[in-house]
Amino acid sequence: MNGADALISTLVANEVTACFANPGTSEMQFVAALDGVPQMRPVLCLFEGVATGAADGYGRIADRPACTLLHLGPGYGNGVANLHNARRAFTPIVNVVGDHATYHRQYDAPLNSDIATLVKPNSIWVKSADAPDQVSALAAEAVAASYGPPGGPVSLILPADSAWLEAKGGPVIAQKPVRPAPSGEAVDAAARALRAARKPVVLLGNQACRAEALKEAARLEAAGITVYSDTFVPRQRRGAGTFLPKKMQYFGEMALSELEGVDLMVLVGTAMPVAFFAYPNRPSVLVPEGCETLTLAERSEDSVVGLAALADALGAPKEGPVQPLVLPDAAPTGGLNAYFAGASIARHMPEDAIVCDDAVTSGTGVAVGTATARPHDLLALTGGAIGIGLPLAVGAAVAAPDRKVISLNGDGAAMYTVQALWTMARENLDVTTVVFANNTYRILNVEMTRTGAGQAGPAAARLLDLGDPAIDWVSMAKAMGIPAVRCTTAEEFDKAFADAVAQRGPMFIEAVI
Amino acid sequence: MNGADALISTLVANEVTACFANPGTSEMQFVAALDGVPQMRPVLCLFEGVATGAADGYGRIADRPACTLLHLGPGYGNGVANLHNARRAFTPIVNVVGDHATYHRQYDAPLNSDIATLVKPNSIWVKSADAPDQVSALAAEAVAASYGPPGGPVSLILPADSAWLEAKGGPVIAQKPVRPAPSGEAVDAAARALRAARKPVVLLGNQACRAEALKEAARLEAAGITVYSDTFVPRQRRGAGTFLPKKMQYFGEMALSELEGVDLMVLVGTAMPVAFFAYPNRPSVLVPEGCETLTLAERSEDSVVGLAALADALGAPKEGPVQPLVLPDAAPTGGLNAYFAGASIARHMPEDAIVCDDAVTSGTGVAVGTATARPHDLLALTGGAIGIGLPLAVGAAVAAPDRKVISLNGDGAAMYTVQALWTMARENLDVTTVVFANNTYRILNVEMTRTGAGQAGPAAARLLDLGDPAIDWVSMAKAMGIPAVRCTTAEEFDKAFADAVAQRGPMFIEAVI
């Protein structure tokens, strides 16, 4: 058994069974070793940003890490943006970053770079397996570290000689860390503060937006406390039968205006809310003046236990409000927009679908329609780095082959990691992709004014415009082997979406809005 | 004048007049300021790897930096791989990396990350302009730093408030550093050693492969010294009328076998040659046992002056050998391969073309044909991070609008930064793109055996295969607005290439090999 065999055996022994890969020469032993461990599913991605985003989608759905296989510093570099998103989603991911043989590093060959420094900002654990006998133990340590809590990407650097040399011993199993419950003091303090407050709110994030946690949070709402969720949540249960908290507004001044008079904010699985960006003369912190903040459960703690204990302490009802199932009877008609698309998605989306949202300005419109749709999971863009909607869908579909995956993307966002379409075709993943083609970075047209930069002149406007030339998305999808259709009316979209989700396998819809 | 105005004015005053951009909210002031400084040409790229690769191509041709405009850590991250290549090409580039407003950083908003650490491995200079009054001085310092010598990417972090607040003073001009001549001692030592050696070689890299340097190197060849160039050179003058040194072989054992008996290697503008990758039981250093190495000119020094002085010291002839103009009379016929493509490229490529080579295994075949073609510049993949062939061409075409640019790409490589095609269409760049579609990462099939990983099993083989589904490159190019044609025979390719280069503007050829 060489180091590569040891690595894959240990990963599999620790329940890491999917590998999103784009290998190079330094990773050839890892690639060769895959045939010896069929429990590991290799998935080829034609760009590393697809691999890392897919690992994020996989981790959010499977609740265990996938591994990535990346080619030295540049391969990791290509995956950085989606690892940033994954770090912000607290998704467990084990990056295997190939490196030159240990003795070859000193010669600074063309692909050499300072990998340890490059991976640092987006890794919650980094080690280099500089001898083959270290590989198994470090791989097990890496998997355990990726769980946190609250979890995140880790990076195991694998020099080529550690992969090709003989490794002693068998697979190493690591203890999966347990997410601790919040302290009784924290629960008591929150209960006391909530009883004393005039206008309290509870803010949920991360694990507190999963199905179990939302059941408990709904009890707080039933007890008269307004419950919010973070604007962007790694994985939120939504739709009929599920409690839908209000969402923190994206724009700070709107959030603060909505929160006016709130005197207590209890944080559950999240931190103090802050504006996504700074703007001249606008506040950074989205907590009203004089409002106390108090943490019930840290991100690293068990939000479900905390919320249940808090609801009990407050004598809240055993059940709280849930969304009804309300589906539009008929297809919307007329010119297509995101709200109409949302109505059609709600009409046809099957139960337990996974919705991956990188639709930027169109996402809000869709969310209106899906609020009362069949129950589903929504995976959002947690780190603000566009280009995750297609990769997330790849990973989610690999993690949950029996669930329909719906990938919603702005056109600007979809271009970032468009190579993901090929992997959907290659693996015949059950993903319906929608690209909202408005031919512009719409959000930036809004932000241009908000940042005080004024009206865009011709040069500036051209940097926000995607319409010259207009991207032919149907040709793009077909180029990578996915059947595709273009819709310009609400009726066309309704039919196309119904057709797409009725079939198994990758389908593509260009929604011209 | 706000900080953004100050920045662009200073860049322009220091001859930085092209900006390859993908902005976000934190860069809106920079974008707005572009309309006030028409000397700066903004070029929108739909992915940051295109922007950084284009800046590399621009810098190699213009011999002055372009700037990039990147959106915080993730935006920079997307550009890392091609900045790695640029660092290895010693190309001056000024990255402008937008950041949150200084006072907003502490809140760790979703897009926040440790930019200073992320940029370190691929930046030869990093500073953050944390006050608007620092912007001009730091921008000038950044430009100067990017020149080195030997030059490379620098990163200027620009917090949003430094861009939007009022900045005092006008543009700052920085002194462009001068590339020093090698010392007389180095020249004398090289001359002495060359006279004493039984079988000496000279190895050229970087600046020593430009036209002027090759003229002087040819004189050494005329004096009986074998002259080599590095395997991958940032910019090499090639073709008729130019001296063509032998090229260091890519595979180490072939390089060493060719160098057998060599007892002196004089390095000019490069460092000791090493193997691209390590392999079990194969050497890392590509200098034969007992061979002395000696540096005539460091990368930071003036290779032309050094080579001329050495040739004079050795009493070499005033002129050395140059390549003849030899073009195939007729189109090749039969099944298409890289050698036939090279013959057709040689037949039709106009004088002074710029060839951007990311064709991996096909590049070698093409180089045979172009060795005696009309004079041209060849830009190679210096850092081994595939996905630079299309972006390099974007940058080269912006830098030299009157020269025909030819972009040669492997299919695996082209997929990495395929978004570059859109920018070619948007800017109507005079680029003929060729993608060699062999439906596999061909090089890895070779490397799999060389690394001792053995024959690829079915799982491994699938990770090297691009043919399921086969990418429809004609649809891909058309999706982004470029006329495209698919060729399966040598005759078809000859005609398609002749047609493409006869027109102005972006054209695309899928070469099925």
Side-chain angles (χ1 to χ4, degrees), chain B residues 120-133:
Chain B
K120 210 184 257 179
N122 292 296
S123 301
I124 62 169
W125 177 100
V126 183
K127 286 196 184 168
S128 181
D130 285 350
D133 292 345

PDB file of all heavy atoms in Angstrom, chain B residues 120-133:
ATOM      1  N   LYS B 120      -0.047  37.088  -1.036  1.00  0.00           N
ATOM      2  CA  LYS B 120       1.393  37.026  -0.802  1.00  0.00           C
ATOM      3  C   LYS B 120       2.145  36.080  -1.751  1.00  0.00           C
ATOM      4  O   LYS B 120       3.160  36.486  -2.341  1.00  0.00           O
ATOM      5  CB  LYS B 120       1.642  36.627   0.663  1.00  0.00           C
ATOM      6  CG  LYS B 120       2.924  37.191   1.226  1.00  0.00           C
ATOM      7  CD  LYS B 120       3.151  36.690   2.642  1.00  0.00           C
ATOM      8  CE  LYS B 120       2.811  37.730   3.690  1.00  0.00           C
ATOM      9  NZ  LYS B 120       3.026  37.198   5.057  1.00  0.00           N
ATOM     10  N   PRO B 121       1.701  34.835  -1.925  1.00  0.00           N
ATOM     11  CA  PRO B 121       2.522  33.917  -2.732  1.00  0.00           C
ATOM     12  C   PRO B 121       2.743  34.373  -4.178  1.00  0.00           C
ATOM     13  O   PRO B 121       3.717  33.968  -4.799  1.00  0.00           O
ATOM     14  CB  PRO B 121       1.719  32.603  -2.702  1.00  0.00           C
ATOM     15  CG  PRO B 121       0.909  32.676  -1.460  1.00  0.00           C
ATOM     16  CD  PRO B 121       0.553  34.136  -1.311  1.00  0.00           C
ATOM     17  N   ASN B 122       1.850  35.183  -4.710  1.00  0.00           N
ATOM     18  CA  ASN B 122       1.999  35.577  -6.108  1.00  0.00           C
ATOM     19  C   ASN B 122       2.121  37.078  -6.316  1.00  0.00           C
ATOM     20  O   ASN B 122       1.771  37.595  -7.381  1.00  0.00           O
ATOM     21  CB  ASN B 122       0.831  35.003  -6.935  1.00  0.00           C
ATOM     22  CG  ASN B 122       0.912  33.495  -7.025  1.00  0.00           C
ATOM     23  OD1 ASN B 122       1.858  32.957  -7.588  1.00  0.00           O
ATOM     24  ND2 ASN B 122      -0.046  32.814  -6.424  1.00  0.00           N
ATOM     25  N   SER B 123       2.596  37.767  -5.303  1.00  0.00           N
ATOM     26  CA  SER B 123       2.805  39.212  -5.425  1.00  0.00           C
ATOM     27  C   SER B 123       4.234  39.538  -5.005  1.00  0.00           C
ATOM     28  O   SER B 123       4.665  39.093  -3.950  1.00  0.00           O
ATOM     29  CB  SER B 123       1.842  39.984  -4.513  1.00  0.00           C
ATOM     30  OG  SER B 123       0.502  39.691  -4.818  1.00  0.00           O
ATOM     31  N   ILE B 124       4.944  40.323  -5.824  1.00  0.00           N
ATOM     32  CA  ILE B 124       6.306  40.697  -5.422  1.00  0.00           C
ATOM     33  C   ILE B 124       6.277  41.978  -4.594  1.00  0.00           C
ATOM     34  O   ILE B 124       7.311  42.430  -4.108  1.00  0.00           O
ATOM     35  CB  ILE B 124       7.255  40.827  -6.634  1.00  0.00           C
ATOM     36  CG1 ILE B 124       6.801  41.925  -7.599  1.00  0.00           C
ATOM     37  CG2 ILE B 124       7.366  39.502  -7.388  1.00  0.00           C
ATOM     38  CD1 ILE B 124       7.843  42.271  -8.657  1.00  0.00           C
ATOM     39  N   TRP B 125       5.094  42.539  -4.416  1.00  0.00           N
ATOM     40  CA  TRP B 125       4.902  43.765  -3.606  1.00  0.00           C
ATOM     41  C   TRP B 125       3.430  43.789  -3.215  1.00  0.00           C
ATOM     42  O   TRP B 125       2.562  43.501  -4.052  1.00  0.00           O
ATOM     43  CB  TRP B 125       5.259  44.969  -4.473  1.00  0.00           C
ATOM     44  CG  TRP B 125       5.082  46.338  -3.879  1.00  0.00           C
ATOM     45  CD1 TRP B 125       6.062  47.135  -3.343  1.00  0.00           C
ATOM     46  CD2 TRP B 125       3.866  47.123  -3.798  1.00  0.00           C
ATOM     47  NE1 TRP B 125       5.528  48.341  -2.936  1.00  0.00           N
ATOM     48  CE2 TRP B 125       4.183  48.360  -3.202  1.00  0.00           C
ATOM     49  CE3 TRP B 125       2.542  46.891  -4.166  1.00  0.00           C
ATOM     50  CZ2 TRP B 125       3.233  49.357  -2.973  1.00  0.00           C
ATOM     51  CZ3 TRP B 125       1.590  47.878  -3.937  1.00  0.00           C
ATOM     52  CH2 TRP B 125       1.944  49.099  -3.348  1.00  0.00           C
ATOM     53  N   VAL B 126       3.139  44.073  -1.956  1.00  0.00           N
ATOM     54  CA  VAL B 126       1.764  44.172  -1.467  1.00  0.00           C
ATOM     55  C   VAL B 126       1.656  45.350  -0.522  1.00  0.00           C
ATOM     56  O   VAL B 126       2.452  45.462   0.422  1.00  0.00           O
ATOM     57  CB  VAL B 126       1.344  42.927  -0.643  1.00  0.00           C
ATOM     58  CG1 VAL B 126      -0.121  43.046  -0.216  1.00  0.00           C
ATOM     59  CG2 VAL B 126       1.591  41.646  -1.387  1.00  0.00           C
ATOM     60  N   LYS B 127       0.723  46.236  -0.738  1.00  0.00           N
ATOM     61  CA  LYS B 127       0.391  47.246   0.260  1.00  0.00           C
ATOM     62  C   LYS B 127      -1.095  47.548   0.183  1.00  0.00           C
ATOM     63  O   LYS B 127      -1.734  47.326  -0.844  1.00  0.00           O
ATOM     64  CB  LYS B 127       1.219  48.529   0.076  1.00  0.00           C
ATOM     65  CG  LYS B 127       2.666  48.357   0.515  1.00  0.00           C
ATOM     66  CD  LYS B 127       3.413  49.665   0.713  1.00  0.00           C
ATOM     67  CE  LYS B 127       4.888  49.356   1.060  1.00  0.00           C
ATOM     68  NZ  LYS B 127       5.741  50.552   0.990  1.00  0.00           N
ATOM     69  N   SER B 128      -1.615  48.037   1.283  1.00  0.00           N
ATOM     70  CA  SER B 128      -3.012  48.423   1.341  1.00  0.00           C
ATOM     71  C   SER B 128      -3.081  49.932   1.531  1.00  0.00           C
ATOM     72  O   SER B 128      -2.434  50.478   2.422  1.00  0.00           O
ATOM     73  CB  SER B 128      -3.700  47.702   2.504  1.00  0.00           C
ATOM     74  OG  SER B 128      -5.071  48.050   2.547  1.00  0.00           O
ATOM     75  N   ALA B 129      -3.845  50.587   0.672  1.00  0.00           N
ATOM     76  CA  ALA B 129      -3.975  52.056   0.745  1.00  0.00           C
ATOM     77  C   ALA B 129      -5.087  52.381   1.735  1.00  0.00           C
ATOM     78  O   ALA B 129      -6.234  52.584   1.343  1.00  0.00           O
ATOM     79  CB  ALA B 129      -4.275  52.624  -0.635  1.00  0.00           C
ATOM     80  N   ASP B 130      -4.739  52.433   3.009  1.00  0.00           N
ATOM     81  CA  ASP B 130      -5.753  52.545   4.055  1.00  0.00           C
ATOM     82  C   ASP B 130      -6.220  53.969   4.321  1.00  0.00           C
ATOM     83  O   ASP B 130      -7.002  54.193   5.256  1.00  0.00           O
ATOM     84  CB  ASP B 130      -5.262  51.879   5.339  1.00  0.00           C
ATOM     85  CG  ASP B 130      -5.312  50.357   5.233  1.00  0.00           C
ATOM     86  OD1 ASP B 130      -5.895  49.849   4.239  1.00  0.00           O
ATOM     87  OD2 ASP B 130      -4.775  49.670   6.120  1.00  0.00           O
ATOM     88  N   ALA B 131      -5.757  54.916   3.541  1.00  0.00           N
ATOM     89  CA  ALA B 131      -6.274  56.284   3.618  1.00  0.00           C
ATOM     90  C   ALA B 131      -6.226  56.865   2.206  1.00  0.00           C
ATOM     91  O   ALA B 131      -5.327  56.523   1.422  1.00  0.00           O
ATOM     92  CB  ALA B 131      -5.431  57.123   4.571  1.00  0.00           C
ATOM     93  N   PRO B 132      -7.186  57.717   1.864  1.00  0.00           N
ATOM     94  CA  PRO B 132      -7.245  58.215   0.475  1.00  0.00           C
ATOM     95  C   PRO B 132      -5.983  58.975   0.072  1.00  0.00           C
ATOM     96  O   PRO B 132      -5.585  58.902  -1.103  1.00  0.00           O
ATOM     97  CB  PRO B 132      -8.483  59.121   0.474  1.00  0.00           C
ATOM     98  CG  PRO B 132      -8.850  59.344   1.911  1.00  0.00           C
ATOM     99  CD  PRO B 132      -8.310  58.201   2.682  1.00  0.00           C
ATOM    100  N   ASP B 133      -5.354  59.662   1.027  1.00  0.00           N
ATOM    101  CA  ASP B 133      -4.161  60.436   0.672  1.00  0.00           C
ATOM    102  C   ASP B 133      -2.952  59.558   0.357  1.00  0.00           C
ATOM    103  O   ASP B 133      -1.949  60.038  -0.154  1.00  0.00           O
ATOM    104  CB  ASP B 133      -3.812  61.418   1.802  1.00  0.00           C
ATOM    105  CG  ASP B 133      -4.870  62.508   1.921  1.00  0.00           C
ATOM    106  OD1 ASP B 133      -5.682  62.663   0.981  1.00  0.00           O
ATOM    107  OD2 ASP B 133      -4.898  63.186   2.960  1.00  0.00           O
TER     108      ASP B 133
END
